[in-house]
Amino acid sequence: MQNRIHLHLLSDSTGETLENIAKAALAQFDEVETHKHFWPMVRSEAHLDRILVDIAAHPGLVLFTLVNLSIRQKLEERCKTLGLPAVAALDAVTDALSGILGQQAKARPGRQHALDAAYFARVDAIQYTIAHDDGLNHHEWEEADIVLAGVSRTSKTPTSIYLANRGYKTANIPVVPESPPPETLYRLKHPLVVGLVTSADRLIQVRRNRLLSLNQAPDTDYVDEEKVKAEILYARRIYADNGWPVIDVTRRSIEESAAAIINLYNERRTAGGDKGQTL
């Protein structure tokens, strides 16, 4: 069984899209040793010639997003001669869209990365999210798209950053019984407020690992089972009293939690969504 592969990624732009496609596909396989050869900004045959030398020396799978026809044909012909698979990563989707829309795709390198309004909106969302992490600047929360509330170590910050990269201005606030959230949180009109919860066992485990990584005592109120359960109950009561939707992150990755939050956000925008639900 072949568990070692050379993966050649050729793009006429930054290669971000191609790298994400390759990463998503590789995640479906276990224990694969991957040697990536990353070739961005391939826009001339001279550049391609240098790359083909490396492909011949390290045969493997070739993935590409190249819109220049002559460069693309040369790559495909050379890979065919070498007996290597060459896959145009976006062709199937582009062809399907072309058929539905009744128009040809624009053969412009890097077109998907044009500095349009969506790009600047994402940058703005990231800047906003960083400035409103962990309860900061609560007087500006009304400007947010999403506000995440949760007890310590429920992945509020990484989930917020992931959402920001998707273009959502996201603030987050820790829910601490000894220090109730500011009244601002309960008066918000524009943002979707989402409560994050997790199981007590999982939370204790994560917190204990955190303490150990900081060389702190692993046995404190921070990881006391009864206090942790009371803390979670306190947070749930706040969510229920305010009719906020709840996301249980116990068995969810950051990406899965963010996807559930985005679904709630879209439902709220179109039909108001259901309040008080736990996902």
Side-chain angles (χ1 to χ4, degrees):
M1 184 177 294
Q2 176 66 278
N3 288 323
R4 184 173 181 271
I5 183 175
H6 285 278
L7 183 62
H8 297 270
L9 306 175
L10 289 76
S11 171
D12 50 25
S13 185
T14 63
E16 180 183 352
T17 299
L18 188 58
E19 195 165 24
N20 286 334
I21 292 172
K23 182 179 179 180
L26 284 168
Q28 303 300 316
F29 302 90
D30 296 326
E31 299 179 2
V32 178
E33 181 184 349
T34 307
H35 297 270
K36 289 184 181 179
H37 304 256
F38 188 49
W39 309 103
M41 309 303 293
V42 182
R43 298 185 178 182
S44 71
E45 292 195 23
H47 189 184
L48 179 62
D49 287 337
R50 296 192 296 271
I51 295 170
L52 288 171
V53 173
D54 187 78
I55 292 176
H58 304 95
L61 174 62
V62 178
L63 298 180
F64 65 90
T65 51
L66 302 171
V67 298
N68 183 285
L69 188 58
S70 62
I71 294 176
R72 175 182 174 137
Q73 287 178 337
K74 186 171 185 176
L75 173 64
E76 291 176 323
E77 290 170 1
R78 181 57 174 153
C79 286
K80 185 176 181 180
T81 300
L82 293 170
L84 300 177
V87 180
L90 295 178
D91 270 19
V93 177
T94 303
D95 290 346
L97 286 171
S98 180
I100 291 174
L101 297 173
Q103 58 177 289
Q104 293 295 315
K106 303 293 185 182
R108 301 180 190 174
R111 182 178 172 87
Q112 71 273 28
H113 295 293
L115 299 183
D116 55 13
Y119 171 84
F120 289 109
R122 186 173 70 168
V123 172
D124 190 35
I126 293 171
Q127 292 175 339
Y128 177 91
T129 300
I130 292 173
H132 297 81
D133 181 44
D134 203 32
L136 292 175
N137 298 312
H138 60 82
H139 59 285
E140 297 175 343
W141 284 352
E142 191 62 40
E143 302 171 21
D145 297 309
I146 298 167
V147 175
L148 303 181
V151 301
S152 175
R153 315 313 298 177
T154 48
S155 303
K156 295 186 298 299
T157 295
T159 304
S160 295
I161 295 298
Y162 185 92
L163 289 167
N165 274 283
R166 294 288 302 274
Y168 299 92
K169 290 184 177 180
T170 309
N172 72 76
I173 172 72
V175 177
V176 183
E178 295 79 12
S179 180
E183 286 299 316
T184 308
L185 181 63
Y186 307 114
R187 297 195 299 266
L188 295 176
K189 301 298 183 183
H190 173 259
L192 168 69
V193 182
V194 178
L196 303 184
V197 296
T198 188
S199 70
D201 291 342
R202 175 60 176 163
L203 188 56
I204 291 170
Q205 179 186 2
V206 171
R207 288 182 173 185
R208 184 166 284 127
N209 290 339
R210 174 65 173 167
L211 291 175
L212 289 173
S213 71
L214 296 174
N215 293 319
Q216 296 182 10
D219 295 311
T220 67
D221 287 349
Y222 189 57
V223 292
D224 179 80
E225 183 175 359
E226 292 305 316
K227 291 187 178 298
V228 169
K229 287 181 177 179
E231 196 174 340
I232 294 173
L233 182 61
Y234 171 77
R236 281 188 174 276
R237 188 176 297 116
I238 289 178
Y239 306 155
D241 289 346
N242 290 275
W244 297 333
V246 177
I247 300 290
D248 190 332
V249 302
T250 305
R251 295 180 178 84
R252 279 189 167 99
S253 65
I254 299 300
E255 295 83 356
E256 290 169 334
S257 297
I261 292 166
I262 291 171
N263 284 339
L264 288 170
Y265 179 83
N266 290 334
E267 288 176 4
R268 183 176 185 260
R269 288 189 64 186
T270 57
D274 294 326
K275 291 187 175 183
Q277 58 185 317
T278 300
L279 302 183

